[in-house]
Amino acid sequence: MKMYAMLLSLPLLLAACGNDETIDNDPATVPTEVLAPLTKTTARLALQVGTDKACYAPGQTVTFTASGDLPAGVRVRYRHGSDIVADEPLSSTTWTWTAPATDFTGYMVDLYTRDGSDAETLYATIGVDVSSDWARFPRYGFVATYDDTKTPVVIAGELAWLNRCHINGLQFYDWQYKHHWPLGGDDGGLFDVYKDIANRNVYTRVVKDYITQCHGLGMKAMFYNLCYGVLKDAAADGVSSKWHLFKDNNHANMDKLSLASSWKSDIWLVNPADRDWQAYLAGRNDEVYKALDFDGFHIDQVGDRGDVYDYYGGKVNLGNGFASFIKAMKTRHPGKRLVMNAVSNFGSKSIVGTGDVDFMYSELWGHEDRFSDLLTLLKNNRAYAGSPSMGQVYAAYMNYNHKGDRFNTSGVLLTDAVMFALGASHLELGDHMLCHEYFPNNQMKMTDQLRSALVSYYDFLTAYQNLLREGGTELVADLASGQAGVTVNAWPPKLGSVTTYAKTVGGKQVVSLLNFVRANSLSWRDMDGTQPEPETFVNVPLRLKAPGAKKVWVASPDSLGGAPQELTFRQQGDYVVFTLPSLKYWTMVVVE
């Protein structure tokens, strides 16, 4: 939805997909002995580690900084999946690593010690993304306030947090002077301060500082604007009434979004396919790119408008109009990046079909509120794009009706677990955590527990991006539990069970176990903030069909800071039997 007003309801266009096959969950059929991991590992995550950038090009120098005192004998280990890339002693809290030459690769880095019995203690973990282009594995954030409280120090603090979560691109929401005249100024110079649509102060120096600092961290800076919005003074600024959208076929009733009287203006909608409008806004964007070092344009819409017409009475196909608009923007600025919002996935086929957007960005609402919808939309968008691994970002607002002032940690983490396991990312982190379609709304805060957990979740998404986000072939995992109370079902999720989402990637079987045993809803929105914290299951005997397994390992953002654990297992015919060390929200099992 456009971030100012709720949309007309939109029927769900895509049927839920999934396998939902019955598998043998009789504990009596699964061996119940506990098989220990190959290495006894204990987490004592007392150190905090950061990197100097959110992502790196191959061969670039990665600089790490750890806070706290290093334990005697500590080592640093770099792993891709469970394979060790490098392992060396560590003697300083600041050190460097040359990113390997392979592009588009995630790594997990951990600090550890090993005792005489080969037991390990982990002290810190962090993910590293070696990717030359953010579009492959987008982790999108935002900024929404540009007033005089945003000093360089404040901005640096905000971006340090986003950098720690490996956010590699920022949407600059409502930074613009006017929708039809986005730059705060003209050829005569930039304004020091101007009013946005809500009559909030925007300081040009703040916008510039955000851009400069995010570039220093390897992040993209994308300016936000509607593809078809103009304010009440648009005619005086050269916008023709013949470019507008109308609710009737005799151009008597212009389409618009009505906003609060305290705001600068309502927003009138023009035809995104109108060539004169495209040329007009592209010219205004020339001014933006000349004055400010933005990397591209985050294009917004407001969803399905029902029947709308152009000035001459012709019915407008907005999806086709979006595609035409994207093509015009790319032609005008071929070196700049484009991302476009599909509200309730409206127009998504036309948007990704252009081949000119960096990834798919879908703003989800009540008609896409089930966990199962997340996979349906992802698969359909990839089919529209003709790419099994096209990046997907969901703008999805948690705890929307919650009356408290803190996010429900359990609801957020379960939703992130599902999105990440499916291969998508979640637009939620910025100069605050996002709870509303109007991005400056910051009425809810993160708890310390949630803030800490999100670091692990984004480390996990980054470190294992090749297994999570590079497509693969879906399969139904033939997996059974030997622990009473832990029943397993294949996707889609069911209350009271552990749901699996499985696929093969590069010859590996990757099975995500998602814990819905105590969940009270199958809606990712957790509208009222009531999703309960799940029970943590430990030492769960499992049997998985995996002929010829050579290695079994697990990793979880909820355990050991996301570090992988190789497991002992027994091959029984076509099946492997092993013990899952733990499952809280999400544990990933990998069989090689």
Side-chain angles (χ1 to χ4, degrees):
M1 170 177 130
K2 167 66 185 99
M3 292 118 176
Y4 305 124
M6 290 296 293
L7 294 177
L8 299 173
S9 63
L10 179 70
L12 183 62
L13 300 177
L14 305 171
C17 62
N19 297 298
D20 196 16
E21 294 193 4
T22 300
I23 55 182
D24 182 3
N25 277 303
D26 181 1
T29 67
V30 182
T32 58
E33 74 270 32
V34 174
L35 301 177
L38 282 181
T39 301
K40 181 181 178 182
T41 306
T42 302
R44 191 180 300 163
L45 303 175
L47 300 177
Q48 303 296 321
V49 177
T51 54
D52 59 327
K53 294 183 186 297
C55 55
Y56 299 86
Q60 194 171 12
T61 298
V62 183
T63 300
F64 296 89
T65 302
S67 62
D69 296 327
L70 296 179
V74 70
R75 301 180 66 85
V76 59
R77 176 170 49 195
Y78 308 87
R79 289 189 275 199
H80 175 60
S82 69
D83 296 333
I84 298 173
V85 176
D87 188 330
E88 55 196 23
L90 189 63
S91 59
S92 172
T93 55
T94 300
W95 72 99
T96 61
W97 180 53
T98 301
T102 305
D103 206 352
F104 305 116
T105 307
Y107 299 90
M108 178 62 80
V109 181
D110 61 78
L111 275 56
Y112 76 101
T113 58
R114 181 180 292 126
D115 65 19
S117 66
D118 283 339
E120 293 183 354
T121 301
L122 295 178
Y123 295 93
T125 59
I126 189 169
V128 174
D129 179 11
V130 178
S131 295
S132 59
D133 191 335
W134 81 313
R136 184 70 164 268
F137 301 117
R139 297 176 298 276
Y140 208 11
F142 71 94
V143 60
T145 301
Y146 316 88
D147 62 22
D148 58 1
T149 67
K150 296 299 186 77
T151 65
V153 172
V154 169
I155 292 171
E158 292 173 358
L159 296 186
W161 156 246
L162 297 179
N163 180 61
R164 182 58 189 85
C165 294
H166 315 289
I167 299 301
N168 56 7
L170 289 183
Q171 176 189 153
F172 282 60
Y173 177 88
D174 271 13
W175 70 282
Q176 68 271 42
Y177 171 51
K178 303 176 185 179
H179 286 67
H180 64 274
W181 185 324
L183 184 67
D186 53 27
D187 289 341
L190 300 181
F191 304 143
D192 291 335
V193 61
Y194 54 91
K195 299 290 187 181
D196 75 352
I197 185 68
N199 277 316
R200 301 181 309 149
N201 284 336
V202 175
Y203 284 77
T204 298
R205 64 164 178 80
V206 173
V207 175
K208 287 184 172 182
D209 199 9
Y210 268 118
I211 296 171
T212 299
Q213 290 201 43
C214 83
H215 282 165
L217 296 169
M219 303 174 185
K220 297 294 185 187
M222 303 288 287
F223 75 82
Y224 166 91
N225 199 6
L226 280 167
C227 66
Y228 51 8
V230 305
L231 304 192
K232 61 186 178 184
D233 58 352
D237 293 332
V239 174
S240 170
S241 62
K242 295 181 179 180
W243 304 347
H244 278 252
L245 287 174
F246 297 86
K247 298 301 290 183
D248 62 304
N249 60 8
N250 60 358
H251 58 255
N253 183 17
M254 288 182 177
D255 195 13
K256 73 170 183 177
L257 294 176
S258 297
L259 302 177
S261 60
S262 59
W263 286 31
K264 182 186 288 188
S265 170
D266 294 331
I267 299 176
W268 280 262
L269 303 183
V270 297
N271 183 0
D274 189 284
R275 300 296 182 182
D276 291 331
W277 161 250
Q278 292 172 357
Y280 175 90
L281 192 61
R284 292 298 185 192
N285 289 350
D286 288 344
E287 300 168 353
V288 172
Y289 289 129
K290 181 178 179 181
L292 300 169
D293 193 21
F294 280 116
D295 297 292
F297 180 5
H298 178 99
I299 307 166
D300 198 17
Q301 52 145 309
V302 295
D304 189 352
R305 303 300 295 169
D307 290 341
V308 288
Y309 303 85
D310 62 22
Y311 181 84
Y312 304 98
K315 186 176 289 187
V316 174
N317 183 313
L318 284 177
N320 291 343
F322 297 156
S324 173
F325 181 88
I326 290 168
K327 287 290 186 185
M329 296 304 105
K330 195 66 174 180
T331 298
R332 184 64 165 256
H333 303 108
K336 296 298 184 178
R337 303 306 188 93
L338 296 175
V339 174
M340 184 168 183
N341 184 14
V343 178
S344 290
N345 234 41
F346 178 70
S348 60
K349 185 175 183 178
S350 298
I351 292 167
V352 296
T354 64
D356 289 325
V357 292
D358 278 10
F359 49 84
M360 193 62 211
Y361 178 103
S362 305
E363 188 178 35
L364 305 184
W365 289 98
H367 291 286
E368 311 85 36
D369 69 342
R370 296 177 70 82
F371 285 105
S372 58
D373 295 327
L374 299 174
L375 181 60
T376 301
L377 295 173
L378 172 66
K379 291 173 68 173
N380 280 277
N381 286 339
R382 286 178 169 175
Y384 298 153
S387 168
S389 59
M390 184 176 189
Q392 174 73 62
V393 174
Y394 287 126
Y397 315 118
M398 299 297 303
N399 303 162
Y400 196 77
N401 291 339
H402 188 28
K403 303 305 182 185
D405 61 357
R406 293 290 185 271
F407 284 96
N408 177 29
T409 295
S410 301
V412 172
L413 294 184
L414 183 58
T415 292
D416 280 352
V418 174
M419 287 185 179
F420 294 0
L422 297 178
S425 63
H426 189 184
L427 182 83
E428 58 182 341
L429 301 181
D431 50 8
H432 56 276
M433 190 170 184
L434 197 57
C435 65
H436 196 270
E437 73 274 14
Y438 181 57
F439 284 18
N441 185 327
N442 63 351
Q443 66 186 26
M444 285 200 295
K445 314 296 183 186
M446 288 179 282
T447 63
D448 290 343
Q449 178 192 14
L450 177 56
R451 186 179 178 93
S452 176
L454 285 173
V455 171
S456 293
Y457 270 68
Y458 280 86
D459 277 341
F460 198 88
L461 178 67
T462 301
Y464 302 111
Q465 57 195 12
N466 301 102
L467 296 176
L468 298 173
R469 308 187 74 181
E470 284 200 323
T473 302
E474 282 190 3
L475 57 87
V476 177
D478 186 348
L479 179 73
S481 162
Q483 181 169 314
V486 181
T487 58
V488 179
N489 76 285
W491 186 271
K494 288 183 177 180
L495 297 180
S497 71
V498 172
T499 294
T500 63
Y501 174 70
K503 58 184 178 178
T504 57
V505 182
K508 301 177 178 68
Q509 185 177 172
V510 182
V511 183
S512 284
L513 286 81
L514 298 157
N515 187 356
F516 286 87
V517 173
R518 292 186 60 193
N520 62 13
S521 170
L522 292 177
S523 170
W524 57 261
R525 300 184 76 183
D526 187 24
M527 290 286 282
D528 299 313
T530 60
Q531 193 72 265
E533 182 175 356
E535 177 183 354
T536 300
F537 299 106
V538 297
N539 295 329
V540 181
L542 294 177
R543 185 193 64 201
L544 174 66
K545 188 172 185 179
K550 303 299 183 184
K551 180 193 287 189
V552 178
W553 58 276
V554 297
S556 171
D558 307 312
S559 176
L560 301 182
Q565 281 183 287
E566 189 172 347
L567 304 182
T568 55
F569 66 93
R570 288 191 290 104
Q571 189 86 45
Q572 293 184 339
D574 287 343
Y575 292 83
V576 291
V577 175
F578 59 95
T579 299
L580 191 73
S582 68
L583 169 63
K584 188 172 184 181
Y585 294 96
W586 170 30
T587 298
M588 178 178 71
V589 177
V590 181
V591 181
E592 302 185 18

